[in-house]
Amino acid sequence: MQKSLHIDPAKCTGCLQCEMACSFEHTGAINPSKSRIKVFDFEHEGRKVPYTCTQCADAWCMNSCPVEAIVIDAATGAKVVKEATCVGCKVCTIACPFGTVNYMTDVGKVQKCDLCGGDPKCASACPTGAITYVDADWTGLDRMRTWAAKANTAAVAA
Amino acid sequence: MGWNRKVLRVNLTAGTCTPEPLNMAWANDYLGSRGLASKYLVEEIDPKVDPLSPDNKMIMSTGPLTGTMASTGGRYTVVTKGALTNAIACSNSGGFFGAEMKFAGWDMIIFEGKSPKPVYLFIENDKAELRDAAHLWGKTCWETEETIKRLHQDPLTRICSIGGAGENLALFACIVNDLHRAAGRSGVGAVMGSKNLKAVAIRGTKGVSGIKDFPAFLAATTAAKKVLADNAVTGQGLPKYGTQVLMNVINEMGALPTRNHRDVQFEEAGKISAEAMHEKRPTDGKTHLVTNAACFGCTIACGRISKIDETHFSVKNSPKYWGASGGLEYEAAWALGAANGVGDLEALQYANLLCNEHGMDPISFGTTVGAAMELYELGILTKEQIGIEAPFGSAEALCKLVEMTAHGEGFGKELGQGSARLCAKYGRPELSMSVKSQEFPAYDARGIQGIGLAYATSNRGACHLRGYTVASEVLGIPVKTDPLTTEGKPELVKAFQDATGVFDAAGICVFTSFAWTLADVQPQIQAACEGDWSMDKLHLVGERIWNMERQFNLAAGLSAKDDDLPPRLKTEAAKTGPAKGLVNGVDQMKPEYYKLRGWTPDGVPEAATLQRLGL
């Protein structure tokens, strides 16, 4: 079963534990500026929104890469950057409609979410359940449950 | 090694920014943040210095856990000689600024001298430079943050700044970061203003990589986060209701200071409580509270983000206040509300917004308004002198006075000097509800006896965050003690004061101590920092910090007589509630406290005490 990151912004408090966990996993330092997930604070609305790659099925970044440095991780479905192959041309950063692939000047390569090989650290670090890692075929399950609960049908014994 | 081992020294007179290594011997004795910055301060300035003179220094410091995944590890501290108190000042703040300082590679910034013209400090990792702030001077804290981010074309920059209050040297001016977090107390913003320093803007992309033992650190921080999540206060009460959860509780205990401490219960407490913030307003059908919010790394998320009622008289013509913004927290709601007898939640939020926008400590501002209202009711201050009618309970007066104080206009200038100077000026010094000229926070010492001793002996003037015995006396953390008795309180106060020093020095939030004891913090410090950080050592560090601050204050000219409460709390008994008939017993508690501290009856640390603490 493939899984997918599932983000519920209503639960986000903006603590940035996800950014710390992501950067630590990938760089060995606690460094939100290197995080592949970013929390946006719309302060005048009181909304905080974590945002990262959705792992598009037909991924713009992957299709645009001239050197095939972005490949699919068969186990997780993640579109993963092969650093050794990436030439830092930045075409993928232009192709991605969502801005979730970014060029890192210090390494001369692009970086994006790779689902941490199937154990995304942002999700396990989130203290409020705003970021979870769920069945990729059932990302709507929680929302369905919420609506189902509103059906308000009385139980009747058979 | 949780530290970056790097200090930035900024000489504002000469306009220079110079890196220097962190004194690791001191770090080993004082840990970081409050402790370490205080050590630098006491070594570097004359305790008798005028706080607003160029000879005073101001230090912004992180702790070893700042900028890490330790829950609440985002705090920074401003240490200086306080403009309001003439004592050592130490104000800490959450938000995101502290972590950014750490990510840029610095532990601490020492400001000395005075700039000949307004400047702001810009830091981008190793690069640090002073830039002209002529275009920022006169701007609010909110405008300053927005302008700098736009100017640098970098929305990820984190900024702390002063507003008009700090520029005008209002003695309770604070330093605001991330729009609505603040190093709030003791007038640190006035010191910053006196140095012509408008703001500090930081962008850090280096991160924290020097944790001593990362696997052990992850294990320790994860375990400690679970303790917070499983605790009723930090896991449920604070996220849902914020610190405002206390309003009704403290009122029922008869410990909610009301109308300049004339009363201990406020008949309209319910209207300004956490519960009221959750209720739908009749005007627009919306709740005051929009959401809760976390500071950097915080898994509690007690912060309140609210929307003011757009139809309220204070803002109906000012759309700029209609968006979501910070507040109300318990201390602000109390100081702006109960302390003045004002039960209009929206008016309190308006005053709170202006405090954030212009950089004022709402506790000292609100309590000073309370003192002015009492002087008005006594006929000592007149409508002509104030400019408006200012009886207790007037939301209109509160809203007008906050504007006047923020802008330094008319009577607002006098309010900006704080209640001690205001009441002294009008011949009634006893009506200032303060210790060491700093106004009380939101707990009445007649209904909670131990907190009276904590206020009296606090090194930075009246303060709940230097020894929060309320945890024990009200909430039963770590053990329940009777709030109405003085018995056992000297030990309690000392234990809280010493432990709090360690929480503050580590770079974490003292609110974790609703759930954590030092034993929960110790493994996190030990995994992050080189050296021995055993429980015994941490106890010693906490006590050392307290005594070092004490020594500074004594050298500054304070003495045992300054460890006292206003006569009202010692002679005018509580009129209602469980504490009815009681005054505070600070005079009974103090001698025992001094003895426990290893101080003389005059409150001076004995030679043996200093030696034991390595001072």
Side-chain angles (χ1 to χ4, degrees):
Chain A
M1 179 177 77
Q2 282 199 353
K3 294 179 96 176
S4 174
L5 278 176
H6 188 256
I7 293 174
D8 181 354
K11 291 181 180 166
C12 177
T13 62
C15 73
L16 306 191
Q17 287 283 348
C18 55
E19 295 194 14
M20 284 191 267
C22 176
S23 58
F24 178 66
E25 173 71 9
H26 293 100
T27 71
I30 306 165
N31 190 357
S33 76
K34 302 291 179 200
S35 174
R36 297 153 189 215
I37 184 167
K38 293 303 287 180
V39 178
F40 293 88
D41 184 355
F42 300 95
E43 56 236 1
H44 301 300
E45 301 164 42
R47 289 193 305 128
K48 296 169 194 292
V49 183
Y51 201 84
T52 190
C53 174
T54 60
Q55 313 295 349
C56 306
D58 197 4
W60 277 271
C61 62
M62 190 170 67
N63 291 334
S64 68
C65 179
V67 296
E68 297 186 359
I70 300 181
V71 298
I72 300 178
D73 177 338
T76 64
K79 313 302 176 291
V80 178
V81 178
K82 286 182 1 194
E83 278 211 9
T85 311
C86 175
V87 295
C89 73
K90 312 186 188 81
V91 170
C92 59
T93 69
I94 299 164
C96 173
F98 309 105
T100 52
V101 194
N102 284 281
Y103 178 73
M104 295 290 118
T105 51
D106 52 348
V107 287
K109 313 276 181 188
V110 297
Q111 69 171 29
K112 68 177 288 301
C113 171
D114 59 2
L115 296 177
C116 298
D119 179 17
K121 303 301 180 195
C122 54
S124 42
C126 180
T128 64
I131 307 168
T132 49
Y133 193 51
V134 302
D135 183 344
D137 291 344
W138 282 103
T139 55
L141 196 66
D142 260 358
R143 205 174 293 178
M144 285 172 76
R145 183 184 293 112
T146 304
W147 285 102
K150 288 181 184 173
N152 195 25
T153 45
V156 178
Chain B
M1 59 166 201
W3 308 274
N4 285 320
R5 298 179 178 235
K6 216 167 98 180
V7 174
L8 178 66
R9 187 174 292 274
V10 179
N11 186 316
L12 291 159
T13 308
T16 55
C17 299
T18 316
E20 64 184 47
L22 183 71
N23 186 321
M24 289 309 295
W26 291 353
N28 193 50
D29 286 343
Y30 296 92
L31 189 54
S33 208
R34 172 181 166 188
L36 189 51
S38 298
K39 174 64 176 170
Y40 270 85
L41 188 84
V42 306
E43 292 289 338
E44 294 195 9
I45 72 165
D46 175 357
K48 292 206 178 334
V49 73
D50 171 359
L52 297 178
S53 82
D55 293 335
N56 192 10
K57 297 191 185 187
M58 182 182 77
I59 303 176
M60 294 181 174
S61 180
T62 64
L65 298 186
T66 307
T68 74
M69 53 272 273
S71 187
T72 78
R75 301 197 77 88
Y76 91 105
T77 301
V78 181
V79 173
T80 185
K81 185 174 177 185
L84 183 68
T85 54
N86 277 303
I88 195 163
C90 162
S91 294
N92 87 36
S93 178
F96 300 84
F97 176 81
E100 200 72 17
M101 189 192 302
K102 201 78 176 283
F103 296 149
W106 305 96
D107 293 309
M108 188 185 288
I109 308 170
I110 301 174
F111 294 96
E112 46 194 37
K114 175 184 179 175
S115 172
K117 59 183 177 55
V119 290
Y120 72 101
L121 174 67
F122 175 60
I123 295 176
E124 188 184 275
N125 294 334
D126 295 329
K127 186 172 86 181
E129 57 194 39
L130 291 168
R131 297 193 173 183
D132 180 39
H135 64 294
L136 296 173
W137 206 253
K139 281 190 158 46
T140 67
C141 298
W142 296 351
E143 292 164 342
T144 300
E145 288 194 27
E146 194 190 332
T147 306
I148 292 176
K149 286 179 183 184
R150 201 175 54 234
L151 192 71
H152 291 258
Q153 296 190 47
D154 188 356
L156 298 177
T157 305
R158 303 290 190 184
I159 296 152
C160 73
S161 69
I162 55 167
E167 292 179 14
N168 297 329
L169 308 182
L171 296 182
F172 47 69
C174 61
I175 302 171
V176 173
N177 60 287
D178 303 292
L179 300 179
H180 35 67
R181 309 311 311 177
R185 303 224 69 195
S186 309
V188 296
V191 174
M192 186 157 160
S194 76
K195 298 190 171 306
N196 268 332
L197 179 65
K198 177 67 179 176
V200 180
I202 305 184
R203 181 74 199 286
T205 63
K206 294 163 69 147
V208 171
S209 54
I211 298 294
K212 184 185 71 180
D213 182 345
F214 251 122
F217 187 66
L218 288 179
T221 53
T222 303
K225 283 175 194 164
K226 187 166 186 314
V227 173
L228 293 177
D230 292 345
N231 181 279
V233 177
T234 51
Q236 295 158 36
L238 284 174
K240 178 158 189 201
Y241 293 114
T243 52
Q244 272 274 63
V245 70
L246 288 162
M247 185 67 75
N248 286 324
V249 175
I250 301 298
N251 191 47
E252 274 165 33
M253 289 190 65
L256 190 72
T258 301
R259 288 173 285 267
N260 207 33
H261 287 64
R262 280 181 170 179
D263 299 300
V264 295
Q265 289 182 308
F266 183 37
E267 61 285 356
E268 295 187 283
K271 287 170 63 182
I272 61 170
S273 66
E275 290 80 355
M277 289 170 69
H278 276 269
E279 277 168 23
K280 286 186 178 164
R281 291 185 285 239
T283 47
D284 60 5
K286 293 175 184 164
T287 58
H288 186 82
L289 182 74
V290 175
T291 185
N292 66 330
C295 294
F296 180 91
C298 176
T299 56
I300 303 173
C302 75
R304 303 290 94 183
I305 302 292
S306 299
K307 270 190 185 166
I308 199 164
D309 181 347
E310 296 171 12
T311 66
H312 189 259
F313 74 84
S314 59
V315 296
K316 64 181 180 195
N317 296 319
S318 306
K320 75 164 171 166
Y321 296 112
W322 293 357
S325 197
L328 286 159
E329 321 288 344
Y330 171 59
E331 287 295 336
W334 164 78
L336 301 166
N340 308 315
V342 177
D344 177 345
L345 183 72
E346 306 298 334
L348 308 191
Q349 175 64 353
Y350 176 68
N352 186 63
L353 289 172
L354 262 73
C355 284
N356 289 341
E357 184 184 22
H358 299 280
M360 300 193 291
D361 168 16
I363 301 180
S364 280
F365 165 74
T367 309
T368 302
V369 170
M373 285 179 167
E374 179 155 11
L375 291 169
Y376 176 81
E377 296 220 336
L378 292 170
I380 297 167
L381 276 172
T382 63
K383 183 188 167 190
E384 287 65 39
Q385 284 168 301
I386 300 175
I388 50 169
E389 290 182 19
F392 280 124
S394 170
E396 291 79 8
L398 173 72
C399 293
K400 187 67 192 157
L401 291 171
V402 74
E403 292 166 5
M404 290 162 66
T405 310
H407 298 117
E409 293 167 1
F411 186 69
K413 266 206 178 103
E414 293 188 40
L415 283 178
Q417 296 301 298
S419 67
R421 290 158 179 88
L422 180 80
C423 293
K425 178 174 175 182
Y426 291 99
R428 299 296 296 272
E430 77 282 5
L431 293 182
S432 167
M433 293 300 117
S434 62
V435 174
K436 301 181 179 77
S437 298
Q438 175 157 287
E439 289 73 14
F440 286 120
Y443 308 91
D444 196 292
R446 289 164 291 197
I448 306 173
Q449 291 288 318
I451 200 73
L453 179 64
Y455 290 158
T457 58
S458 160
N459 286 328
R460 71 165 184 177
C463 175
H464 55 301
L465 298 172
R466 284 298 171 277
Y468 191 68
T469 60
V470 174
S472 167
E473 295 180 275
V474 178
L475 302 168
I477 302 166
V479 287
K480 184 80 175 77
T481 52
D482 180 356
L484 300 180
T485 169
T486 57
E487 200 123 326
K489 297 303 161 61
E491 291 96 323
L492 193 69
V493 168
K494 178 181 181 297
F496 270 90
Q497 287 173 337
D498 292 348
T500 302
V502 177
F503 280 73
D504 287 343
I508 55 175
C509 177
V510 74
F511 287 0
T512 56
S513 67
F514 285 117
W516 289 353
T517 65
L518 262 190
D520 295 292
V521 184
Q522 185 272 334
Q524 303 182 72
I525 297 175
Q526 183 65 70
C529 302
E530 286 162 352
D532 160 39
W533 295 99
S534 63
M535 287 294 286
D536 286 347
K537 161 106 180 251
L538 291 178
H539 283 300
L540 202 65
V541 167
E543 195 176 355
R544 183 182 293 136
I545 292 170
W546 192 264
N547 280 270
M548 171 178 63
E549 293 171 341
R550 177 73 177 182
Q551 289 283 83
F552 178 92
N553 283 350
L554 293 173
L558 297 173
S559 67
K561 72 173 169 42
D562 298 296
D563 297 340
D564 206 357
L565 301 177
R568 173 164 286 170
L569 295 182
K570 299 204 295 181
T571 59
E572 296 177 27
K575 294 174 198 155
T576 61
K580 187 175 176 182
L582 283 185
V583 295
N584 184 266
V586 67
D587 292 334
Q588 290 95 64
M589 294 184 279
K590 210 164 76 170
E592 193 186 336
Y593 169 85
Y594 283 174
K595 207 167 150 194
L596 282 168
R597 278 256 169 242
W599 296 354
T600 68
D602 293 329
V604 177
E606 302 202 27
T609 304
L610 295 175
Q611 195 180 2
R612 179 171 62 81
L613 297 170
L615 286 166

